[in-house]
Amino acid sequence: MKTGAGIAIGLAVALAAGGGYWLGQRPAASHPEPSVAVATTSVEGMKKERKLLYYRNPMGLPDTSPTPKKDPMGMDYVPVYEGEADDEPAAANSIRISTDKVQKLGVRTEAAELRALDKQVRAAGRIEIDERRSFAISPKFEGYVERLHVNVTGQPVAKGQPLFEVYSPELVSAQREYTIAAQGVDALKDAGSEARSGMQQLAESSLLRLRNWDISEEQIRALAKSGASKRTLTFRSPVSGVVTEKKALQGMRFMPGDTLYQVADLSSVWVVADVFEQDIAQVRTGA
C-alpha cells in the first residue's frame, strides 16, 4: 500500500514539472496578458474617435488645407483634430486671448443691452484765430506815429474806434492838392469847358490818391467842406475785436506797408485738433 502511494505521488510531481516546462517553452505573443490587451483596445478606441478637421499653416498664417501639404519653406502643415485645443487663431477661425493678456489689455465686459452705439474721440487741440476775421492796419505812405489811442496788446476795440494818429508830409501835400483843385473847379465854373475840364481831372486824381491811401469818406468830406488840410490823420479799427499785435510806438517812423496794428474778430474762432488716423471717420461736422 505504501509503495503504491509513493509511486502515485512521484508520477504527479513528474507530470507537474513536465507541464511547467511545456508552458515555459510556448511563445509569449500567443498568450497576451489580460491587462495589456485591455490597454491596447483602449488606445485603439481613442484613435478611432479622433476626427481630422483640416491642416493648418505651421507658421500661424491664415491658411488651411483639407489635405496634407507643405508651405513655401518646406514645412509640413499641422493636422488639427476635432476637440483638440488649438492656440492658432488662423486655424480655429477665431481669436483666443489668454487670461493674462486679457488682464494686461484691460478688457472689460458688461451685460448686453439695447442702446445707441457711439464713441467719444478725445484729442489735444488749440484755439486759433479765424484767418478770415483778422485785419492788418498798414499805412500805404511814409510817416510818423504822432499819438496812440490804443497802446496795449489784447485790448478790445469797437469798429470805427481810433487806434492812432500819424503825420506824413506826403499826406499833407495830397490834401492841399485836393483842396486847391476843388477850389479851382468852383472858380472856373463859368470859364471855358477846356479849362474847367482840366481842373476837374486834377481834383479827381487828387481825390483818388487820398482814397488809395485808405482815407475814409468822412475825412474826405470834412476836408472838402473846410478847405483846410489837416496835419495828422487818424486811423480807426476796421472791425470790432481784439488787438492781437501792436508794433506802433509813439514817435516812431514807419514805411509804406509796415503793419502797425492787427485786429481780430474773436466772435468766431477755429479749434485745431490733432486726431489719430483711426478716429478720422468719427469726426463729422456738427457731431
Side-chain angles (χ1 to χ4, degrees):
M1 294 296 295
K2 293 181 179 179
T3 305
I7 294 173
I9 293 173
L11 180 60
V13 170
L15 289 174
Y21 176 79
W22 178 76
L23 290 174
Q25 294 298 321
R26 294 190 63 182
S30 61
H31 296 277
E33 295 183 359
S35 60
V36 175
V38 171
T40 303
T41 304
S42 176
V43 172
E44 291 178 354
M46 290 179 61
K47 288 184 178 180
K48 290 180 180 178
E49 291 178 358
R50 299 180 69 187
K51 179 181 179 182
L52 179 64
L53 300 178
Y54 49 82
Y55 295 85
R56 65 172 174 83
N57 189 286
M59 302 302 293
L61 299 178
D63 181 28
T64 60
S65 173
T67 58
K69 71 172 187 177
K70 296 181 179 292
D71 67 352
M73 300 178 62
M75 300 176 64
D76 293 329
Y77 272 48
V78 180
V80 177
Y81 297 93
E82 183 179 9
E84 185 180 71
D86 188 5
D87 295 332
E88 296 292 337
N93 293 325
S94 61
I95 298 177
R96 297 184 181 180
I97 304 177
S98 63
T99 305
D100 295 339
K101 290 184 179 179
V102 169
Q103 294 178 350
K104 292 179 180 178
L105 293 174
V107 177
R108 297 179 300 176
T109 60
E110 61 179 290
E113 60 181 8
L114 183 62
R115 65 182 182 183
L117 295 179
D118 56 3
K119 178 182 178 182
Q120 289 186 351
V121 178
R122 298 183 180 272
R126 59 191 181 276
I127 305 297
E128 291 190 359
I129 298 172
D130 188 347
E131 297 176 356
R132 300 167 297 182
R133 298 174 179 266
S134 182
F135 300 87
I137 292 87
S138 304
K140 298 178 180 179
F141 50 82
E142 181 182 352
Y144 300 86
V145 178
E146 286 285 310
R147 182 183 177 185
L148 295 177
H149 295 282
V150 176
N151 53 11
V152 178
T153 303
Q155 179 176 342
V157 295
K159 183 177 182 180
Q161 179 178 339
L163 297 178
F164 61 99
E165 296 180 10
V166 300
Y167 162 72
S168 172
E170 295 181 10
L171 181 60
V172 173
S173 176
Q175 291 181 84
R176 288 177 179 174
E177 182 179 339
Y178 172 69
T179 55
I180 293 173
Q183 293 173 1
V185 171
D186 292 338
L188 296 176
K189 61 181 179 179
D190 297 331
S193 60
E194 184 176 351
R196 187 171 62 254
S197 176
M199 189 59 66
Q200 185 68 32
Q201 291 179 1
L202 179 60
E204 291 178 357
S205 62
S206 301
L207 179 61
L208 182 60
R209 182 189 300 180
L210 293 175
R211 287 174 175 170
N212 289 339
W213 283 350
D214 294 334
I215 309 302
S216 65
E217 293 294 332
E218 181 181 358
Q219 292 171 325
I220 292 175
R221 286 195 299 268
L223 177 62
K225 183 177 180 180
S226 63
S229 60
K230 293 185 177 181
R231 181 178 180 276
T232 61
L233 177 68
T234 302
F235 276 82
R236 302 177 182 274
S237 175
V239 67
S240 297
V242 176
V243 176
T244 58
E245 186 177 0
K246 170 190 164 295
K247 295 183 179 179
L249 299 174
Q250 189 162 334
M252 70 173 288
R253 179 187 180 185
F254 60 86
M255 300 301 292
D258 289 348
T259 301
L260 302 182
Y261 280 81
Q262 190 165 355
V263 181
D265 181 7
L266 301 183
S267 60
S268 176
V269 295
W270 287 348
V271 177
V272 181
D274 299 323
V275 181
F276 291 104
E277 184 177 356
Q278 63 267 23
D279 296 331
I280 293 179
Q282 304 295 329
V283 178
R284 297 186 302 274
T285 302

